[in-house]
Amino acid sequence: MSRLIPIMLLAAGLLPANLLAAGAKGVPAPATGKAGAVSTALVPGDLGVPQGEPIHAVLGIPPNVPPPINRNYPAKVIVELEVVEKEMPISEGVTYTYWTFGGTVPGSFIRVRQGDTVEFHLKNAPDNKMPHNIDLHGVTGPGGGAASSFTAPGHESQFTFKALNAGLYVYHCATAPVGMHVANGMYGLILIEPQEGLPKVDHEYYVMQGDFYTTGKYREKGHQPFDMDAAIAEHPTYVLFNGREGSLTGDHALSAKVGETVRLFVGNGGPNLVSSFHVIGEIFDKVYYEGGTHAQENVQTTLIPAGGAMMAEFRVDVPGTYVLVDHSIFRAFNKGALGMLKVDGPENKAIYSGKEVDSVYLGDRAGDNLHAVAVAAKANASGTLSKDEQIKAGQQLFEGTCSVCHQSNGEGMSGVFPPLAKSDYLAKLSKDRLISIPLHGLTGTVTVNGKDYNSVMPPMSQLTDDEVANILTYVLNSWSNAGGQVSKEEVGKVRAQPAAAGDGH
Ligand SMILES: [Cu+2]
């Protein structure tokens, strides 16, 4: 039994007394130990003194993880992690000041083996403004290391712990105000591999959910400050995988080939929300729920608590795009909690007949990260926005918002959704009334090109002023429509007016 090894080392005088003392301090007495008595036996999970040369941990940059450990003895592992405060995009054309472990959200992935002695170095970059620390849920000891790692900008702290329990653990900053540090992106995962390692798979990926609170609304362009009131009310503006809308879509999607096995290490940094983690079109063969040792099999959706994690393993059998979501589904489609796993390979019609549903399901998320929208947002901010940039951005936004009903070619759907292409109804609208349709919706009978429609268009109030302006400019200049231009100021004016009864008729 591995538990005997340290005792044998101890008997052979191989275990230095100071290390033993450090190991015993702050660790609950083993179940077999006598309460109050100073136990000389090692605690469960302690595999004895580190062997070999100290190892400098290779850290994983999300969505990647470091390679498996493949070691059969406990070692001393040196982890160096730097806290960096920096501005990064949170969505296209939107920036946020993140506080990070290692320059990314989530922070660098740490991978050690059960029984390893981890010498932790926390550095706080000199040009940072805040003090920070770290609480690793995989640490046995007060504050999970927080008490020993409070670090001012330009300083470094060091503490050492023994990784007693195998599992997948969240780490996070625990400096007051704790919620704010976490909300700004200060969390990551540490994997403590069991002694025998994890089963071999073809791909391992690192995904972490977090909720974000900005003073501006979802996708409102420009730099967005943290909103403490929204955070306290638990009303996030964004719910995201890997800290940014689009971090796992388009070109950044995770990938695998048909027949390969995938392991997802998924954490939830919170600070507030619980995640109903689901991959659309895939079933988890195994879920190590709560990041622990036991696996549940054949799981559709698994709950990941704030400050918790899980490992999911599955084989991909059919090519296509599998969509990672928080199945509290408004978060996926209206707050950003959406990622993709793209699986290449031959079809397997016996298992699935084919036909992709990407564009309908995903809207603007199916494309490559709304590049034109970002260009337009930049131009808008610097006051150089051209009609052409508006049209390009508007096209991408139309794809994600309007095309589900009016179709990409603007032709609509006979008897259900009226056409926007060459619509005589649209051509006769005043600009204000045109603007009011996406803002307030449209109901009642409308006659378009001689045909009556009596249906409901819901308001698209999630769209910002510049998005509405860009979409309508695109519509006016497409499909042989009459042309024209709508500015975000004009949209703002209409939004400020109360919606008149029978608006748009
Ligand atoms: Cu912090």
Side-chain angles (χ1 to χ4, degrees):
M1 285 299 298
S2 51
R3 263 199 68 196
L4 293 179
I5 296 168
I7 298 168
M8 277 149 52
L9 292 171
L10 185 66
L14 289 173
L15 203 59
N18 59 349
L19 213 140
L20 186 63
K25 210 166 89 190
V27 173
T32 50
K34 279 190 224 104
V38 179
S39 172
T40 49
L42 293 177
V43 297
D46 187 346
L47 309 179
V49 280
Q51 299 170 37
E53 285 295 302
I55 294 165
H56 284 264
V58 177
L59 303 180
I61 310 292
N64 298 310
V65 299
I69 304 271
N70 289 325
R71 184 164 27 85
N72 59 6
Y73 56 89
K76 175 172 165 179
V77 179
I78 298 163
V79 174
E80 302 197 44
L81 195 55
E82 184 182 37
V83 175
V84 184
E85 299 168 3
K86 64 187 219 195
E87 193 178 306
M88 293 190 286
I90 188 165
S91 182
E92 289 298 346
V94 191
T95 56
Y96 187 79
T97 302
Y98 293 88
W99 300 347
T100 73
F101 286 108
T104 56
V105 178
S108 310
F109 193 102
I110 305 168
R111 188 167 195 158
V112 300
R113 179 179 181 270
Q114 186 185 16
D116 282 350
T117 296
V118 182
E119 183 182 292
F120 208 101
H121 297 252
L122 187 71
K123 300 170 187 190
N124 193 349
D127 44 1
N128 285 352
K129 301 201 167 44
M130 297 283 161
H132 301 283
N133 65 6
I134 192 165
D135 168 352
L136 299 118
H137 292 180
V139 168
T140 308
S148 320
S149 60
F150 184 82
T151 311
H155 287 76
E156 173 179 336
S157 299
Q158 181 186 333
F159 63 99
T160 300
F161 66 93
K162 195 158 271 192
L164 297 176
N165 298 74
L168 182 63
Y169 297 95
V170 167
Y171 67 77
H172 63 90
C173 182
T175 302
V178 178
M180 181 178 179
H181 285 250
V182 173
N184 284 341
M186 298 200 76
Y187 43 76
L189 292 178
I190 175 170
L191 172 66
I192 302 178
E193 276 194 17
Q195 292 165 56
E196 65 281 10
L198 296 173
K200 216 185 123 23
V201 290
D202 296 305
H203 300 277
E204 292 184 324
Y205 290 117
Y206 173 23
V207 177
M208 211 160 168
Q209 182 170 324
D211 27 301
F212 291 84
Y213 304 81
T214 60
T215 50
K217 58 195 268 186
Y218 176 61
R219 286 188 176 177
E220 190 168 317
K221 302 297 180 274
H223 185 77
Q224 293 297 331
F226 171 69
D227 185 337
M228 188 66 163
D229 290 335
I232 292 168
E234 305 188 15
H235 286 154
T237 325
Y238 293 87
V239 181
L240 301 172
F241 295 131
N242 292 5
R244 162 184 185 165
E245 180 164 38
S247 64
L248 298 176
T249 63
D251 291 346
H252 307 294
L254 307 178
S255 63
K257 292 197 180 64
V258 164
E260 289 185 325
T261 49
V262 177
R263 175 179 295 120
L264 298 179
F265 296 103
V266 188
N268 183 6
N272 289 319
L273 300 187
V274 163
S275 173
S276 300
F277 188 78
H278 177 80
V279 177
I280 300 174
E282 193 47 72
I283 297 154
F284 302 133
D285 296 332
K286 276 192 179 160
V287 169
Y288 294 83
Y289 47 92
E290 295 166 8
T293 304
H294 294 290
Q296 167 71 294
E297 295 184 353
N298 304 321
V299 174
Q300 57 192 304
T301 301
T302 188
L303 211 52
I304 314 176
M310 70 94 192
M311 290 178 273
E313 293 167 5
F314 54 93
R315 205 186 107 109
V316 287
D317 301 304
V318 176
T321 301
Y322 296 85
V323 184
L324 285 57
V325 294
D326 180 337
H327 215 295
S328 289
I329 209 74
F330 269 103
R331 298 177 188 169
F333 294 106
N334 300 79
K335 292 187 172 178
L338 192 144
M340 291 176 189
L341 168 66
K342 289 200 170 152
V343 177
D344 289 332
E347 297 281 353
N348 187 341
K349 305 263 184 206
I351 294 179
Y352 187 72
S353 68
K355 180 179 189 249
E356 292 230 12
V357 292
D358 275 16
S359 57
V360 172
Y361 221 138
L362 300 174
D364 61 23
R365 282 100 179 149
D368 279 345
N369 299 320
L370 298 172
H371 177 70
V373 174
V375 170
K378 259 208 199 100
N380 195 357
S382 59
T384 62
L385 183 64
S386 71
K387 186 168 158 184
D388 205 46
E389 285 167 331
Q390 275 194 289
I391 291 172
K392 285 204 181 103
Q395 176 169 14
Q396 284 188 334
L397 292 160
F398 183 90
E399 279 304 321
T401 318
C402 319
S403 73
V404 272
C405 298
H406 294 290
Q407 306 300 299
S408 294
N409 59 10
E411 302 284 342
M413 237 180 221
S414 177
V416 194
F417 303 119
L420 301 182
K422 303 188 199 70
S423 158
D424 60 352
Y425 178 89
L426 191 153
K428 279 178 277 175
L429 291 173
S430 72
K431 206 187 255 188
D432 281 5
R433 282 174 60 182
L434 173 62
I435 292 169
S436 81
I437 292 179
L439 289 184
H440 305 306
L442 189 61
T443 56
T445 306
V446 295
T447 308
V448 183
N449 300 344
K451 287 201 183 113
D452 283 352
Y453 295 83
N454 187 1
S455 184
V456 177
M457 172 172 152
M460 312 272 146
S461 50
Q462 82 278 10
L463 295 170
T464 59
D465 292 349
D466 62 316
E467 287 174 334
V468 172
N470 296 345
I471 290 172
L472 292 178
T473 303
Y474 166 69
V475 168
L476 289 172
N477 291 281
S478 302
W479 319 301
S480 319
N481 282 348
Q485 193 171 5
V486 177
S487 72
K488 71 167 185 180
E489 288 75 20
E490 289 169 322
V491 177
K493 226 180 63 205
V494 174
R495 197 192 292 272
Q497 298 160 2
D503 200 356
H505 291 266

